[in-house]
């Protein structure tokens, strides 16, 4: 199973970006999917998570600005980021809790996509 993240880039403060992360391979089911981020010199932190039924949770720092969603048919999770701030600058990683084709549970990570918010 692989997670491929995309959508990062350079954006001005107040701008928007949309991240995508697609899971591929021998997948039986995916329960929770989420986005984490790691800024320089800081620990990785959870930004947002979504269950297979669509329940969501957000870090306080992004509530009202970021929206997580998923397309279960395509095993893809999205993160719509609006009103971006310089403190949102980080490498963003997607994560998925996967039961694979052999019915084993694994926690998978994407490769990370850089988001830079700067004027």
């Amino acid at each position: 199973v692989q997670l491929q993240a995309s959508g990062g880039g350079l954006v001005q403060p107040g701008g928007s970006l949309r991240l995508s992360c697609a899971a591929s391979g021998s997948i039986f089911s995916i329960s929770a999917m989420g986005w984490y981020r790691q800024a320089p010199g800081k620990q990785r932190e959870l930004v947002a998570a979504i269950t297979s039924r669509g329940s969501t949770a957000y870090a306080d720092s992004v509530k009202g600005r970021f929206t997580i969603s998923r397309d279960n048919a395509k095993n893809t999770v999205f993160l719509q980021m609006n009103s971006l701030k310089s403190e949102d600058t980080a490498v963003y990683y997607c994560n998925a809790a996967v039961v694979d084709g052999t019915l084993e549970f694994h926690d998978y990570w994407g490769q990370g996509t850089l988001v830079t918010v700067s004027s």
Side-chain angles (χ1 to χ4, degrees):
V1 176
Q2 292 184 328
L3 269 61
Q4 182 67 44
S6 62
L10 173 64
V11 63
Q12 292 185 342
S16 299
L17 280 176
R18 188 186 194 219
L19 306 182
S20 301
C21 178
S24 62
S26 180
I27 297 170
F28 177 77
S29 66
I30 302 177
S31 52
M33 301 184 82
W35 289 94
Y36 290 72
R37 68 186 180 187
Q38 187 166 18
K42 294 187 177 181
Q43 290 188 333
R44 189 174 297 188
E45 63 174 354
L46 176 65
V47 175
I50 185 168
T51 69
S52 58
R53 294 188 177 186
S55 295
T56 58
Y58 296 91
D60 287 342
S61 58
V62 306
K63 282 181 181 177
R65 300 187 298 121
F66 291 11
T67 301
I68 189 170
S69 61
R70 64 190 280 177
D71 183 334
N72 290 331
K74 296 182 178 180
N75 293 327
T76 301
V77 63
F78 306 95
L79 186 67
Q80 178 66 44
M81 304 185 293
N82 299 328
S83 302
L84 282 160
K85 305 175 181 180
S86 58
E87 51 262 44
D88 295 317
T89 295
V91 177
Y92 285 70
Y93 298 90
C94 56
N95 173 269
V98 177
V99 176
D100 65 19
T102 65
L103 300 183
E104 291 187 353
F105 173 84
H106 296 282
D107 198 36
Y108 289 98
W109 292 89
Q111 82 281 12
T113 184
L114 177 62
V115 172
T116 303
V117 184
S118 175
S119 55

